[in-house]
């Protein structure tokens, strides 16, 4: 569907690394260190899309220990223009459910102590404008791809980014809701703002895998196990429609 020659990359999280299981690898390092894993090259027809698993190949890197700066910088060094962040989330709002996917249009950052900026006292600071944290162009392309793939996507919503790795308390989720949040996850920041600092478009394709803490009778992990596959296959169908050169 996307016709222009932009270089796309996917940064994926829980349960998604097998998307790139057999792909060719590119090792790259950055001034911030090594990315979480080698960069894989996915082929959609003639189009190559780069793929990075943010938790590492062995899935040992927790959300608060991810080297987000190295990850985003490595993709910039490889010429990436557009990053699709795939993030699993819990849902707070009542009108979306586990097994569905969402394209948030705002975020609130509750993380702390993460290396969150390329500006570290050695380079001239730019206070990037982050009013709209996601690329409107990329969101529109993903929505159009979802329509082609006949996949329902919850369009918009606020993604609250928590520190993890523990899940939230019920009272914390109530607070997030009072703050206007629709979804809660741990990995969107500082990935999204680093992409902005490094001049790349970014959007989050969020996989809803559970009701947020205190919002369901079910154990959270049981819900995650029951719904991840459905959300994942929807996200994969959207990506296939986005990158299918013939569509
Ligand atoms: N909270 C935080 N992060 C998450 C959740 C959640 O409920 N589900 C998936 N990632």
């Amino acid at each position: 569907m996307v016709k222009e020659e932009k270089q796309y990359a996917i940064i994926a999280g829980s349960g998604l690394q097998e998307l790139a299981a057999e792909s060719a690898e590119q090792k790259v390092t950055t001034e911030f260190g090594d990315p979480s894993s080698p960069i894989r090259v996915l082929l959609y027809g003639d189009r190559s899309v780069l793929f990075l698993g943010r938790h590492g190949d062995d899935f040992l890197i927790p959300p608060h220990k991810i080297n987000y700066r190295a990850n985003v910088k490595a993709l910039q060094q490889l010429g990436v223009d557009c990053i699709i962040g795939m993030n699993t989330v819990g849902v707070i709002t009542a009108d979306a459910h586990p097994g569905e996917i969402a394209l948030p249009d705002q975020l609130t950052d509750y993380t702390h102590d993460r290396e969150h900026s390329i500006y570290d006292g050695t380079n001239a600071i730019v206070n990037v404008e982050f009013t709209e944290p996601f690329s409107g162009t990329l969101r529109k392309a993903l929505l159009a791809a979802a329509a082609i793939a006949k996949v329902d996507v919850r369009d918009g919503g606020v993604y609250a980014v928590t520190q993890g790795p523990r899940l939230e308390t019920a009272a914390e989720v109530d607070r997030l809701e009072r703050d206007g949040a629709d979804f809660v996850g741990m990995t969107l920041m500082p990935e999204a703002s680093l992409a902005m600092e490094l001049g790349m478009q970014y959007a989050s394709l969020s996989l809803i895998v559970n009701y947020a803490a205190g919002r369901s009778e079910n154990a959270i992990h049981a819900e995650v196990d029951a719904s991840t596959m459905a959300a994942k296959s929807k996200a994969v169908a959207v990506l296939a429609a986005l990158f299918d050169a013939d569509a």
Side-chain angles (χ1 to χ4, degrees):
M1 200 201 89
V2 278
K3 299 268 186 252
E4 79 281 17
E5 286 310 306
K6 288 197 171 128
Q7 179 65 59
Y8 285 78
I10 296 165
I11 305 182
S14 315
L16 293 160
Q17 63 274 48
E18 75 261 18
L19 277 181
E22 302 294 321
S23 314
E25 294 187 357
Q26 269 180 283
K27 283 217 164 59
V28 51
T29 190
T30 79
E31 67 194 272
F32 304 117
D34 294 338
S36 300
S37 51
I39 315 286
R40 302 311 195 306
V41 183
L42 301 181
L43 287 177
Y44 288 87
D46 293 339
R47 179 185 288 275
S48 73
V49 175
L50 301 182
F51 180 96
L52 172 57
R54 63 166 83 76
H55 296 286
D57 278 347
D58 300 327
F59 213 74
L60 292 176
I61 312 173
H64 63 296
K65 296 280 190 191
I66 291 169
N67 189 341
Y68 294 94
R69 295 197 302 179
N71 286 352
V72 180
K73 184 72 187 175
L75 295 179
Q76 188 208 36
Q77 286 174 200
L78 293 172
V80 168
D81 306 291
C82 303
I83 299 175
I84 298 164
M86 296 177 75
N87 316 85
T88 59
V89 295
V91 63
I92 300 171
T93 188
D95 63 352
H97 306 282
E100 298 174 355
I101 58 174
L103 271 175
D105 60 359
Q106 275 295 331
L107 67 85
T108 306
D109 186 9
Y110 299 86
T111 66
H112 52 85
D113 301 320
R114 299 183 181 189
E115 292 285 3
H116 68 284
S117 175
I118 60 164
Y119 300 110
D120 57 5
T122 63
N123 43 6
I125 305 168
V126 176
N127 304 108
V128 290
E129 201 170 317
F130 205 46
T131 314
E132 299 298 335
F134 303 116
S135 156
T137 313
L138 192 48
R139 288 189 72 262
K140 272 197 202 114
L142 285 160
L143 285 170
I148 290 169
K150 297 190 173 36
V151 169
D152 281 336
V153 182
R154 155 83 192 232
D155 178 9
V158 178
Y159 180 140
V161 197
T162 54
Q163 176 73 351
R166 69 164 176 84
L167 294 161
E168 297 70 36
T169 67
E172 285 169 337
V173 171
D174 289 342
R175 173 193 168 206
L176 296 177
E177 183 171 41
R178 289 195 297 276
D179 281 359
D182 299 289
F183 313 108
V184 54
M186 302 173 190
T187 52
L188 180 59
M189 285 292 286
E191 204 170 88
S193 54
L194 284 162
M196 186 77 86
E197 286 186 347
L198 289 167
M200 288 175 278
Q201 295 182 28
Y202 186 98
S204 166
L205 187 56
S206 294
L207 281 64
I208 303 174
V209 294
N210 60 283
Y211 292 106
R215 298 298 161 104
S216 154
E217 299 292 301
N218 302 330
I220 291 180
H221 288 293
E223 250 166 26
V224 172
D225 291 345
S227 54
T228 298
M229 192 56 89
K232 193 176 7 179
S233 57
K234 287 175 189 152
V236 167
V238 171
L239 293 176
L242 181 72
F243 297 130
D244 179 3
D246 302 319

